[in-house]
Amino acid sequence: EVSRGDINNDFHRFERSVRWRNRAIALGEILAVAAAGPALFMGADSMAAQAGWAISFAGGLFVVGYVFFRAAVKPMPAGTEFASSLQHYRGELERQSDILQKVWWWYLLSIIPAIAGSMMGRGATSEQPMLGSLHPVQLAGFVLICVLVGWQYTQSFQARFKTLANLREQTLA
Protein backbone atom coordinates (compact mmCIF):
# COMPACT_ATOMS: atom_id res chain seq x y z
CA GLU A 1 0.00 0.00 0.00
CA VAL A 2 1.43 3.35 -1.05
CA SER A 3 0.45 6.38 0.99
CA ARG A 4 0.32 10.07 0.24
CA GLY A 5 3.40 10.42 2.48
CA ASP A 6 5.30 7.96 0.27
CA ILE A 7 4.37 10.00 -2.82
CA ASN A 8 5.43 13.21 -1.05
CA ASN A 9 8.77 11.70 0.00
CA ASP A 10 9.51 10.54 -3.54
CA PHE A 11 8.41 13.92 -4.90
CA HIS A 12 10.76 15.71 -2.49
CA ARG A 13 13.65 13.48 -3.61
CA PHE A 14 12.76 14.38 -7.20
CA GLU A 15 12.58 18.07 -6.23
CA ARG A 16 16.05 17.93 -4.61
CA SER A 17 17.53 16.11 -7.62
CA VAL A 18 16.14 18.78 -9.97
CA ARG A 19 17.56 21.52 -7.74
CA TRP A 20 21.01 19.86 -7.85
CA ARG A 21 20.71 19.28 -11.60
CA ASN A 22 19.92 22.95 -12.18
CA ARG A 23 22.85 24.00 -10.02
CA ALA A 24 25.18 21.61 -11.87
CA ILE A 25 24.03 22.93 -15.25
CA ALA A 26 24.55 26.53 -14.14
CA LEU A 27 27.93 25.85 -12.58
CA GLY A 28 29.10 23.79 -15.57
CA GLU A 29 28.19 26.47 -18.10
CA ILE A 30 29.65 29.29 -16.02
CA LEU A 31 32.89 27.37 -15.49
CA ALA A 32 33.07 26.46 -19.19
CA VAL A 33 32.63 30.08 -20.24
CA ALA A 34 35.11 31.28 -17.60
CA ALA A 35 37.73 28.62 -18.36
CA ALA A 36 37.48 28.20 -22.12
CA GLY A 37 35.83 31.46 -23.05
CA PRO A 38 38.82 33.80 -22.92
CA ALA A 39 41.06 31.38 -24.82
CA LEU A 40 38.48 30.74 -27.53
CA PHE A 41 37.48 34.39 -27.78
CA MET A 42 41.05 35.69 -27.82
CA GLY A 43 42.13 32.85 -30.15
CA ALA A 44 39.60 34.00 -32.72
CA ASP A 45 41.46 35.78 -35.50
CA SER A 46 38.64 37.92 -36.85
CA MET A 47 35.87 40.16 -35.59
CA ALA A 48 33.29 37.80 -37.07
CA ALA A 49 34.72 34.88 -35.09
CA GLN A 50 34.83 36.93 -31.88
CA ALA A 51 31.23 38.07 -32.44
CA GLY A 52 30.22 34.44 -33.02
CA TRP A 53 31.86 33.35 -29.75
CA ALA A 54 30.28 36.23 -27.86
CA ILE A 55 26.83 35.28 -29.18
CA SER A 56 27.44 31.61 -28.39
CA PHE A 57 28.51 32.40 -24.81
CA ALA A 58 25.48 34.65 -24.36
CA GLY A 59 23.23 31.91 -25.77
CA GLY A 60 24.71 29.34 -23.40
CA LEU A 61 24.25 31.66 -20.42
CA PHE A 62 20.66 32.35 -21.53
CA VAL A 63 20.00 28.59 -21.48
CA VAL A 64 21.48 28.42 -17.97
CA GLY A 65 19.22 31.24 -16.79
CA TYR A 66 16.22 29.60 -18.39
CA VAL A 67 16.96 26.25 -16.74
CA PHE A 68 17.74 27.81 -13.39
CA PHE A 69 14.57 29.89 -13.21
CA ARG A 70 12.03 28.04 -15.37
CA ALA A 71 12.94 24.43 -14.64
CA ALA A 72 12.51 24.66 -10.87
CA VAL A 73 9.98 22.19 -9.52
CA LYS A 74 6.69 23.68 -8.37
CA PRO A 75 6.13 22.61 -4.75
CA MET A 76 3.53 20.02 -3.83
CA PRO A 77 0.36 21.76 -2.62
CA ALA A 78 -0.20 21.14 1.09
CA GLY A 79 -3.15 19.05 2.21
CA THR A 80 -3.97 17.42 -1.12
CA GLU A 81 -5.36 13.94 -1.43
CA PHE A 82 -3.41 10.97 -2.81
CA ALA A 83 -4.81 11.27 -6.35
CA SER A 84 -4.09 15.02 -6.48
CA SER A 85 -0.54 14.47 -5.21
CA LEU A 86 0.03 11.81 -7.83
CA GLN A 87 -1.40 14.08 -10.53
CA HIS A 88 0.80 17.02 -9.44
CA TYR A 89 3.89 14.77 -9.44
CA ARG A 90 3.10 13.47 -12.92
CA GLY A 91 2.45 17.01 -14.18
CA GLU A 92 5.82 18.17 -12.87
CA LEU A 93 7.57 15.20 -14.48
CA GLU A 94 5.93 16.03 -17.81
CA ARG A 95 6.86 19.71 -17.50
CA GLN A 96 10.48 18.90 -16.61
CA SER A 97 10.69 16.41 -19.47
CA ASP A 98 9.35 18.96 -21.97
CA ILE A 99 11.74 21.66 -20.75
CA LEU A 100 14.82 19.44 -20.84
CA GLN A 101 14.08 18.05 -24.29
CA LYS A 102 14.22 21.62 -25.59
CA VAL A 103 17.16 22.75 -23.48
CA TRP A 104 19.66 20.23 -24.81
CA TRP A 105 18.83 21.25 -28.37
CA TRP A 106 19.29 24.89 -27.35
CA TYR A 107 22.75 24.04 -26.00
CA LEU A 108 23.58 22.39 -29.31
CA LEU A 109 22.25 25.37 -31.24
CA SER A 110 24.21 27.83 -29.07
CA ILE A 111 27.49 26.72 -30.68
CA ILE A 112 26.28 27.56 -34.21
CA PRO A 113 27.10 31.32 -34.02
CA ALA A 114 30.69 30.49 -33.03
CA ILE A 115 31.05 28.10 -35.94
CA ALA A 116 29.40 30.51 -38.38
CA GLY A 117 31.52 33.43 -37.16
CA SER A 118 34.71 31.41 -37.52
CA MET A 119 33.77 30.32 -41.03
CA MET A 120 32.79 33.83 -42.12
CA GLY A 121 35.97 35.28 -40.64
CA ARG A 122 38.13 32.77 -42.50
CA GLY A 123 36.58 33.14 -45.90
CA ALA A 124 36.19 30.36 -48.44
CA THR A 125 39.75 30.51 -49.77
CA SER A 126 41.64 30.47 -46.47
CA GLU A 127 44.36 27.90 -45.90
CA GLN A 128 43.72 27.95 -42.13
CA PRO A 129 41.25 25.63 -40.37
CA MET A 130 37.62 26.62 -40.97
CA LEU A 131 36.67 26.33 -37.30
CA GLY A 132 39.45 28.65 -36.16
CA SER A 133 40.18 28.28 -32.44
CA LEU A 134 37.57 25.54 -32.09
CA HIS A 135 39.09 22.13 -32.72
CA PRO A 136 36.91 19.42 -34.31
CA VAL A 137 37.53 17.19 -31.26
CA GLN A 138 36.15 19.93 -28.98
CA LEU A 139 33.09 20.31 -31.19
CA ALA A 140 32.53 16.55 -31.28
CA GLY A 141 32.93 16.38 -27.48
CA PHE A 142 30.40 19.19 -27.00
CA VAL A 143 27.87 17.48 -29.27
CA LEU A 144 28.48 14.11 -27.59
CA ILE A 145 27.98 15.57 -24.11
CA CYS A 146 24.73 17.26 -25.16
CA VAL A 147 23.39 14.07 -26.75
CA LEU A 148 24.40 11.82 -23.83
CA VAL A 149 22.99 14.12 -21.17
CA GLY A 150 19.74 14.54 -23.12
CA TRP A 151 19.48 10.75 -23.50
CA GLN A 152 20.18 10.23 -19.77
CA TYR A 153 17.41 12.63 -18.76
CA THR A 154 14.99 11.00 -21.18
CA GLN A 155 15.72 7.58 -19.65
CA SER A 156 15.37 8.95 -16.12
CA PHE A 157 11.99 10.55 -16.86
CA GLN A 158 10.69 7.43 -18.59
CA ALA A 159 11.56 5.35 -15.51
CA ARG A 160 9.73 7.77 -13.21
CA PHE A 161 6.71 7.85 -15.55
CA LYS A 162 6.54 4.05 -15.41
CA THR A 163 6.73 4.08 -11.60
CA LEU A 164 3.92 6.61 -11.36
CA ALA A 165 1.81 4.69 -13.88
CA ASN A 166 2.21 1.54 -11.77
CA LEU A 167 1.21 3.47 -8.64
CA ARG A 168 -1.85 4.83 -10.39
CA GLU A 169 -2.85 1.33 -11.53
CA GLN A 170 -2.41 0.02 -7.97
CA THR A 171 -4.64 2.74 -6.54
CA LEU A 172 -7.35 2.14 -9.15
CA ALA A 173 -7.34 -1.64 -8.61
Side-chain angles (χ1 to χ4, degrees):
E1 189 76 18
V2 178
S3 69
R4 182 184 182 283
D6 295 335
I7 291 293
N8 284 343
N9 288 338
D10 192 52
F11 181 80
H12 290 303
R13 278 191 300 274
F14 167 68
E15 191 174 32
R16 279 190 303 276
S17 72
V18 167
R19 195 174 312 122
W20 280 107
R21 177 205 67 207
N22 292 351
R23 289 174 184 164
I25 288 171
L27 183 62
E29 178 69 21
I30 291 168
L31 288 175
V33 169
L40 292 170
F41 184 79
M42 297 307 281
D45 58 356
S46 69
M47 289 296 288
Q50 288 181 337
W53 279 112
I55 292 168
S56 286
F57 294 147
L61 292 174
F62 170 79
V63 173
V64 166
Y66 184 85
V67 167
F68 202 75
F69 293 109
R70 299 281 296 180
V73 174
K74 295 177 183 174
M76 181 78 70
T80 58
E81 295 178 10
F82 181 83
S84 298
S85 295
L86 197 58
Q87 183 178 0
H88 177 78
Y89 192 178
R90 181 160 180 82
E92 276 303 301
L93 279 174
E94 288 172 356
R95 192 175 74 81
Q96 292 292 318
S97 178
D98 289 345
I99 288 171
L100 286 178
Q101 285 178 0
K102 295 172 191 167
V103 164
W104 297 109
W105 282 107
W106 293 350
Y107 266 126
L108 280 172
L109 294 175
S110 72
I111 196 72
I112 291 175
I115 294 169
S118 292
M119 292 175 128
M120 283 189 282
R122 297 265 179 213
T125 60
S126 176
E127 296 287 326
Q128 299 173 340
M130 282 302 259
L131 296 178
S133 58
L134 179 66
H135 297 284
V137 173
Q138 291 171 316
L139 180 60
F142 180 76
V143 170
L144 181 64
I145 288 170
C146 288
V147 169
L148 288 176
V149 170
W151 176 80
Q152 177 200 12
Y153 283 130
T154 300
Q155 297 302 313
S156 171
F157 282 118
Q158 287 177 353
R160 284 189 185 265
F161 282 131
K162 286 179 186 176
T163 301
L164 288 182
N166 290 339
L167 283 177
R168 189 161 197 264
E169 287 175 15
Q170 289 175 4
T171 59
L172 296 176

